Amino acid sequence: MYKIITKQELAAKIKLLEVNAPDIAAKAKPGQFIILVVDETGERIPLTIADYNIVKGTVTFIFNEVGKTTKQLGSLNEGDSIVNIAGPLGVPSEIKKFGRVLCVGGGVMIAPLHLQVKALREAGNDVTTVIGARGEDLLIFEQKMKKVSNKVYIVTDDGSRGFKGFDFLKELLKAESFQRAIVMGPVIMMETVSEISKSFNIPTMVTVTPIMVDGMGMCGVCRVTVGGETKFACIDGPEFDGHQVDFEELVKRQRLFLPEERLSSMFWEKLGGGCHRER
Amino acid sequence: MPKQKPEIRKHNFNEVALGYTADQAVAEAERCLQCPKPQCVSGCPVEIEIPDFIRLIKERQFDEAVKEVKRRNSLPAICGRVCPQEEQCQQQCVMGKAGEPINIGRLERFVADYEMNRGTSTISKQEPTGKKVAVVGAGPAGLTAAAELVKLGHEVVIFEALHKPGGVLIYGIPEFRLPKRIVAAEADYVKRLGASIETNALIGRLFTIPELLVNRFDAVFVGTGAGLPQFLKLPGENLGGIYSANEFLIRVNLMKSYAFPEYDTPIRIGKKVAVIGAGNVAMDSARSALRLGADTVYIVYRRSKAEMPARAEEVENAEEEGIIFKLLTNPTKFFGDEKGWVKHMECIEMQLGETDESGRRRPSPVEGSEFLMDVDTVIIAVGRTPNPIIQRTTKGLETTKWGTIKAEEETGKTSLPGVYAGGDIVTGEATVIKAMGAGKKAARAIHQYLASQK
Ligand SMILES: Cc1cc2nc3c(=O)[nH]c(=O)nc-3n(C[C@H](O)[C@H](O)[C@H](O)COP(=O)(O)OP(=O)(O)OC[C@H]3O[C@@H](n4cnc5c(N)ncnc54)[C@H](O)[C@@H]3O)c2cc1C
Ligand SMILES: Cc1cc2nc3c(=O)[nH]c(=O)nc-3n(C[C@H](O)[C@H](O)[C@H](O)COP(=O)(O)OP(=O)(O)OC[C@H]3O[C@@H](n4cnc5c(N)ncnc54)[C@H](O)[C@@H]3O)c2cc1C
Ligand code: FES
């Protein structure tokens, strides 16, 4: 059992949980993830480690309530427990001195990106960060990012804050040079940014988030095509070369169980959707 | 032994083989000749004193019989169900020379179930040695090594990456062949012996082997199995509806997706399912697909019936349930619909030529014989390779070109001092009982190693 120490709502449907998991906290590195099971009948879902605290023995993750499991997770409170958390999983990000690094984060993935930005700064890099969301009200971690980055740009899909869309990146990359780009966020955003960075020859790492089950290489559902080869995101990734990933296939494979996911969500809401816990 | 009828069982996940009643077990035991030099024992990888426990059944001393079995085998309810006895103890049985060998496996299952139903197992504690051993992986190899080591008085912690212990027994072999409550009960027995099990612990990431040895343990046993699915590397293989057998079976068994949406993990099964391969894993996948509601299930295999690696009994079960065998057929390509879901599978006919190194006739494609099959689910069951994380994260641990860990056959000793390995991680895909045999041998070797370290 893994006890929830802190819960916060960062924006509509975006929640933060800090849980007690000292062994995982002691080993976690930026870029890694955990797999959790909320209760006895639960599914295994992956979430990126957004922060860890070795002294307190806690791990933090931040998630979007998109379906049954994340909604159920969001209905838990401080003091409640999660039955299973396995981690840290995946290959840690490469952290070293690259020079000038461009970090681009979208949606909830801004949180784990923050961990990387921090580590990259500590390794002596100059980090320019771009954070994006659908609209201003969904933007998270702005102040935290400003603290750790050399410069922060803001992008929204609807233009309610900062730049509207990623076109401005082209201007930025024309004006300034970068030795590496790190992109974490929705597939469409990672694809757009990778296309732009490719035309400027900037080595670019993206974090892919396919469907996963075991997270230790045993099922192959997380397979992604990278440079024409099949890779397992859970043990070979989740970070891959953004110029090589087959994003179109990734999106299709993420949607494989859409009808079942809807059914699962409806079924849960019918049963009371978290309210039943207060009975 | 009584079985559920095919037309009924193909719609449920309940156990197919129903097991002996006490009278049936005694009657079977009475057929045993109690040979003075029993051949059966030599066929048993864990050396159960077979005639002794059969005699006790004959005398209706069922409690004593199960004690006798458990002296040598900590997981009898499992072995009684899934061991290929026809190639082991029963193949050696003198009675088999003239007619039907004694059904040793079914008798083993009977005594184990008898005890489980009565809940009488007694456990005697050993004098603690003060030594600590880490066991990595809670499959049959790890559970057996752990049971033997605690019986010898060592403190044992089993680290398992998944959220439940059992390895293939819990995530791979379906409920209708091996009920999960039995796996849970046998894993629990190992705990009651005194071993502790830490689930959700992926060794190599949470702790590395060198860290375990430096900080907490005097020796390590690695039994991480061969769980990495192999794919065919054919065009279209990443389409929706194409599962590795492992993904399919993990969803169905470990995550219980046959009870979706009561259980959260979904599985989608179409009307026409093709399972590629003809081993036990393929049979389990095909029979599970049928139970999930598929109309037609094919086994697609590139050689002929004679070369099929599955146990004869499982092939027979599959045939009885209506699985269609498309032999001498090999897939070449998959085609999908606009949503990226598999729709057709292109296959080619095969013919058998010269005998190859494996002793089987080599299949080759018949030119121009390509044809299309309508399918909406494909399950690929063509083999599994070793779990790689330990090998990738343990410096100095020697491996073979197949990715298995190099270990001495008699002791499980690896290239690193204090590190032993056994089961599928060393041999590649094998059997439950071979993995258990390896766990047992390694436990003895670890015991000697620990004694020498004093
Ligand atoms: C390595 C990895 C790290 C991840 N890190 C995070 C994280 O830090 N925060 C976070 O909020 N999410 C993260 N995800 C995605 C997260 O696992 C899914 O959102 C979650 O499994 C959804 O479960 P559910 O039952 O709530 O929704 P479901 O009912 O399963 O799905 C609801 C909707 O979400 C979509 N969806 C499902 N799975 C994914 C996925 N893997 N990626 C994108 N969309 C998906 C579905 O298409 C569907 O529209 C990560 C995924 C991976 C593989
Ligand atoms: C579908 C199927 C049906 C089968 N049917 C039969 C049958 O009828 N009869 C028979 O005799 N054999 C059968 N087999 C083969 C048999 O199950 C295996 O040979 C046997 O389970 C091997 O045991 P093991 O302990 O070596 O490995 P496994 O059973 O694979 O167990 C290994 C365990 O280690 C864990 N692990 C892996 N890596 C790590 C890590 N880094 N840290 C922590 N834990 C880790 C895994 O999660 C797993 O639980 C079947 C196999 C399959 C897949
Ligand atoms: S999640 Fe199963 S292999 Fe990656």
Side-chain angles (χ1 to χ4, degrees):
Chain A
M1 289 291 209
Y2 301 80
K3 197 165 177 183
I4 297 170
I5 307 296
T6 317
K7 176 184 179 179
Q8 280 173 29
E9 183 154 355
L10 302 179
K13 295 188 187 279
I14 299 182
K15 294 196 171 147
L16 170 152
L17 291 183
E18 181 184 12
V19 299
N20 187 41
D23 289 343
I24 302 177
K27 282 314 276 283
K29 297 213 172 59
Q32 290 187 300
F33 63 97
I34 52 99
I35 283 202
L36 62 81
V37 183
V38 182
D39 64 12
E40 285 309 321
T41 56
E43 63 181 339
R44 294 171 66 95
I45 68 153
L47 294 174
T48 314
I49 296 172
D51 205 357
Y52 50 86
N53 185 324
I54 303 181
V55 182
K56 275 167 80 184
T58 59
V59 176
T60 301
F61 37 84
I62 292 172
F63 56 96
N64 239 327
E65 293 184 357
V66 290
K68 148 90 212 266
T69 304
T70 44
K71 285 179 203 166
Q72 186 183 7
L73 198 58
S75 76
L76 299 181
N77 294 312
E78 289 175 4
D80 290 345
S81 290
I82 296 169
V83 286
N84 296 297
I85 302 183
L89 306 174
V91 182
S93 311
E94 190 181 353
I95 302 289
K96 64 173 194 192
K97 184 157 182 189
F98 296 102
R100 298 197 72 226
V101 183
L102 175 71
C103 289
V104 185
V108 283
M109 297 303 271
I110 295 173
L113 182 71
H114 172 256
L115 203 55
Q116 291 215 31
V117 173
K118 229 167 43 179
L120 285 164
R121 275 300 293 281
E122 279 162 18
N125 294 284
D126 179 291
V127 183
T128 298
T129 306
V130 180
I131 55 174
R134 261 177 293 142
E136 179 178 20
D137 47 340
L138 292 173
L139 194 68
I140 60 166
F141 268 52
E142 181 182 342
Q143 294 313 319
K144 286 189 149 189
M145 272 306 193
K146 284 187 171 154
K147 258 193 217 152
V148 295
S149 313
N150 294 79
K151 181 139 188 56
V152 174
Y153 294 94
I154 291 169
V155 193
T156 49
D157 291 350
D158 61 4
S160 54
R161 248 323 271 295
F163 294 97
K164 184 168 195 273
F166 277 95
D167 281 347
F168 88 97
L169 254 192
K170 292 179 192 154
E171 304 307 316
L172 179 68
L173 296 188
K174 261 183 223 156
E176 300 180 25
S177 74
F178 292 94
Q179 282 70 52
R180 189 176 176 89
I182 315 269
V183 196
M184 294 174 89
V187 177
I188 174 78
M189 186 204 95
M190 294 197 291
E191 186 174 12
T192 310
V193 174
S194 296
E195 264 165 26
I196 298 172
S197 73
K198 192 170 182 184
S199 56
F200 291 89
N201 279 321
I202 304 170
T204 299
M205 299 306 283
V206 298
T207 294
V208 298
T209 54
I211 294 175
M212 291 189 175
V213 179
D214 56 296
M216 51 184 283
M218 298 212 306
C219 75
V221 69
C222 64
R223 58 198 191 271
V224 278
T225 304
V226 183
E229 252 186 82
T230 297
K231 299 274 181 193
F232 287 4
C234 65
I235 53 169
D236 301 324
E239 273 189 20
F240 293 107
D241 179 349
H243 301 151
Q244 303 273 334
V245 170
D246 183 342
F247 289 107
E248 195 189 329
E249 180 187 272
L250 178 63
V251 170
K252 279 199 177 139
R253 289 192 59 80
Q254 275 185 346
R255 295 190 180 143
L256 289 180
F257 290 97
L258 217 52
E260 288 80 4
E261 284 157 0
R262 289 213 182 100
L263 179 65
S264 176
S265 200
M266 277 162 53
F267 183 74
W268 188 64
E269 272 156 20
K270 199 131 203 175
L271 290 179
C275 312
H276 66 288
R277 297 183 47 260
E278 264 101 33
R279 263 188 319 211
Chain B
M1 180 166 51
K3 286 204 266 188
Q4 270 196 76
K5 293 218 161 52
E7 56 281 11
I8 296 172
R9 72 182 193 235
K10 70 185 196 189
H11 300 297
N12 70 52
F13 272 86
N14 300 337
E15 196 170 12
V16 168
L18 301 173
Y20 283 145
T21 61
D23 289 341
Q24 284 169 331
V26 172
E28 184 64 17
E30 277 169 352
R31 296 206 300 125
C32 175
L33 298 178
Q34 294 288 321
C35 309
K37 278 204 189 118
Q39 298 299 305
C40 50
V41 181
S42 67
C44 177
V46 294
E47 305 148 5
I48 297 178
E49 299 289 353
I50 296 166
D52 289 353
F53 98 80
I54 293 187
R55 180 178 44 76
L56 290 163
I57 295 178
K58 197 163 82 182
E59 294 164 4
R60 289 190 177 261
Q61 300 196 48
F62 302 140
D63 288 323
E64 294 305 310
V66 69
K67 243 189 236 163
E68 179 55 46
V69 173
K70 280 201 163 170
R71 240 167 24 93
R72 295 299 169 100
N73 182 342
S74 303
L75 314 171
I78 292 167
C79 290
R81 285 173 167 82
V82 303
C83 276
Q85 289 98 5
E86 69 279 5
E87 297 166 13
Q88 300 174 349
C89 50
Q90 291 176 196
Q91 193 181 45
Q92 309 293 328
C93 176
V94 190
M95 289 292 283
K97 308 260 157 23
E100 171 95 350
I102 305 296
N103 279 301
I104 301 167
R106 294 173 186 177
L107 291 172
E108 180 183 24
R109 169 183 164 164
F110 168 76
V111 291
D113 287 2
Y114 173 85
E115 180 190 49
M116 211 170 276
N117 294 335
R118 298 221 328 185
T120 48
S121 75
T122 44
I123 283 156
S124 54
K125 285 259 184 290
Q126 270 298 320
E127 200 56 25
T129 61
K131 298 283 181 184
K132 292 186 78 173
V133 185
V135 169
V136 184
L143 289 174
T144 306
E148 296 301 316
L149 286 161
V150 278
K151 281 188 203 162
L152 291 164
H154 305 297
E155 193 179 329
V156 178
V157 181
I158 306 177
F159 294 97
E160 167 56 50
L162 291 173
H163 58 284
K164 285 183 186 165
V168 170
L169 307 176
I170 197 92
Y171 79 71
I173 302 181
E175 181 77 16
F176 57 84
R177 262 202 317 125
L178 179 63
K180 299 305 149 229
R181 63 178 169 80
I182 294 199
V183 182
E186 304 244 58
D188 197 52
Y189 170 71
V190 177
K191 274 203 247 178
R192 282 189 295 128
L193 282 174
S196 60
I197 303 184
E198 285 189 22
T199 49
N200 300 315
L202 181 67
I203 300 305
R205 293 267 176 248
L206 188 61
F207 313 112
T208 61
I209 302 253
E211 283 166 355
L212 291 176
L213 282 170
V214 167
N215 298 336
R216 292 170 63 184
F217 296 95
D218 301 300
V220 178
F221 173 77
V222 180
T224 46
L228 231 67
Q230 279 186 320
F231 286 93
L232 299 161
K233 298 195 161 66
L234 293 177
E237 198 166 22
N238 292 348
L239 285 166
I242 305 188
Y243 302 95
S244 73
N246 254 16
E247 180 191 348
F248 180 74
L249 293 169
I250 289 175
R251 283 180 185 272
V252 177
N253 296 315
L254 179 69
M255 307 309 297
K256 300 211 188 311
S257 50
Y258 58 84
F260 177 86
E262 192 189 325
Y263 281 76
D264 293 344
T265 307
I267 186 93
R268 188 169 332 154
I269 197 85
K271 298 262 173 271
K272 291 194 162 148
V273 180
V275 178
I276 317 299
N280 286 326
V281 183
M283 297 306 143
D284 282 346
S285 304
R287 297 174 67 200
S288 299
L290 199 65
R291 283 160 173 77
L292 289 167
D295 287 343
T296 317
V297 181
Y298 301 101
I299 289 271
V300 176
Y301 182 49
R302 63 196 179 124
R303 303 187 206 235
S304 74
K305 190 160 182 182
E307 291 85 16
M308 294 203 298
R311 286 178 69 187
E313 186 182 331
E314 297 309 327
V315 175
E316 188 187 309
N317 279 330
E319 280 175 335
E320 280 175 10
E321 290 168 13
I323 308 282
I324 300 167
F325 287 75
K326 280 197 96 60
L327 304 173
L328 292 167
T329 304
N330 211 17
T332 47
K333 218 185 247 175
F334 301 99
F335 299 97
D337 61 16
E338 59 298 337
K339 286 195 178 144
W341 201 263
V342 65
K343 197 165 93 182
H344 301 298
M345 173 166 85
E346 185 191 85
C347 293
I348 193 161
E349 285 171 20
M350 306 293 281
Q351 59 197 358
L352 293 181
E354 300 287 295
T355 308
D356 66 13
E357 321 82 66
S358 76
R360 298 179 298 180
R361 292 176 64 196
R362 190 193 301 276
S364 62
V366 179
E367 218 171 299
S369 67
E370 288 90 349
F371 65 99
L372 277 188
M373 273 174 81
D374 283 348
V375 292
D376 46 19
T377 306
V378 176
I379 301 169
I380 298 172
V382 294
R384 297 135 37 86
T385 55
N387 282 340
I389 293 175
I390 298 291
Q391 296 86 314
R392 286 185 191 176
T393 55
T394 314
K395 254 208 198 112
L397 185 67
E398 285 180 20
T399 55
T400 67
K401 64 177 183 210
W402 300 282
T404 51
I405 296 176
K406 274 193 196 168
E408 285 177 16
E409 200 182 323
E410 283 308 307
T411 60
K413 202 167 169 316
T414 69
S415 57
L416 289 178
V419 180
Y420 293 75
D424 283 4
I425 192 65
V426 170
T427 56
E429 289 181 273
T431 59
V432 171
I433 194 72
K434 281 192 182 134
M436 291 178 60
K440 197 163 184 174
K441 282 180 184 167
R444 281 184 205 153
I446 291 171
H447 183 59
Q448 275 174 8
Y449 167 79
L450 293 175
S452 74
Q453 293 298 100
K454 268 181 191 155

